[in-house]
């Protein structure tokens, strides 16, 4: 009996870990004389109720301005802060604690930056796992073990959690 339970647990664990990784992508959609705007796109965004992550850029060339067109009302500019020039952190939690799942290639919001120099600077996720935290809904059958990031510095860079 013990061997049967162990086998079932291993199969179930393998199934959970076989889920596709969460993909986060920032993509420039507009650059004007005064600002640079990115789409924040997700793929495989399943049962998430919160996050924490960090992005970096040259703070002498641009400054975080605001979030635009969020699809979730609790994702706002207030969930982002720039503790030092060029270091952008985001902390978000869905206050109703309901799981959020969005179809692939959903644009969660747009990120706008004020340009301090023409063209601004590359915007890049911090590539260390210590800067990524995602909160999954209780009872989720999705296990988040990997994130793939794409930005101005990386295309499909894998981070294992």
């Amino acid at each position: 009996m013990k061997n049967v339970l162990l086998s079932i647990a291993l199969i179930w664990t393998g199934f959970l870990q076989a889920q596709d990784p969460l993909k986060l992508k920032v993509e420039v959609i507009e650059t004007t004389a005064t600002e640079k705007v990115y789409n924040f796109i997700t793929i495989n965004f399943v049962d998430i109720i919160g996050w924490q992550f960090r992005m970096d850029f040259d703070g002498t060339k641009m400054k975080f301005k605001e979030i635009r067109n969020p699809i979730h009302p609790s994702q706002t500019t207030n969930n982002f802060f720039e503790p030092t020039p060029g270091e952008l952190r985001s902390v978000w939690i869905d206050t109703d604690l309901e799981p959020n799942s969005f179809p692939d290639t959903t644009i969660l919001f747009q990120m706008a930056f004020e340009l301090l120099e023409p063209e601004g600077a590359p915007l890049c996720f911090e590539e260390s796992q210590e800067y990524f935290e995602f909160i999954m809904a209780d009872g989720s059958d999705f296990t988040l073990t990997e994130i793939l990031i794409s930005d101005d510095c990386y295309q499909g860079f894998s981070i294992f959690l």
Side-chain angles (χ1 to χ4, degrees), residues 28-40:
V28 176
I29 58 159
E30 181 181 23
T31 302
T32 68
T34 59
E35 71 178 17
K36 193 173 193 179
V37 180
Y38 289 83
N39 279 342
F40 192 96

Side-chain angles (χ1 to χ4, degrees), residues 117-135:
E117 287 191 12
E119 301 300 316
L123 175 65
C124 305
F125 286 100
E126 178 60 48
E127 71 271 9
S128 172
Q129 67 190 28
E130 70 185 84
Y131 292 104
F132 286 90
E133 182 178 358
F134 287 84
I135 303 167

Side-chain angles (χ1 to χ4, degrees), residues 23-93:
K23 296 179 184 177
L24 302 176
K25 180 178 184 178
V26 290
E27 178 177 80
V28 176
I29 58 159
E30 181 181 23
T31 302
T32 68
T34 59
E35 71 178 17
K36 193 173 193 179
V37 180
Y38 289 83
N39 279 342
F40 192 96
I41 303 164
T42 65
I43 295 173
N44 208 30
F45 195 94
V46 178
D47 290 346
I48 295 177
I49 59 172
W51 68 48
Q52 176 176 295
F53 63 84
R54 175 178 153 179
M55 302 184 83
D56 296 310
F57 56 93
D58 186 339
T60 65
K61 295 183 178 181
M62 63 186 197
K63 179 181 179 172
F64 176 68
K65 187 175 180 180
E66 65 186 351
I67 294 301
R68 297 178 182 161
N69 305 314
I71 63 167
H72 195 284
S74 69
Q75 292 172 342
T76 69
T77 300
N78 294 331
N79 300 121
F80 289 81
F81 64 102
E82 194 174 347
T84 60
E87 179 184 330
L88 183 62
R89 294 183 183 217
S90 178
V91 178
W92 165 73
I93 188 146

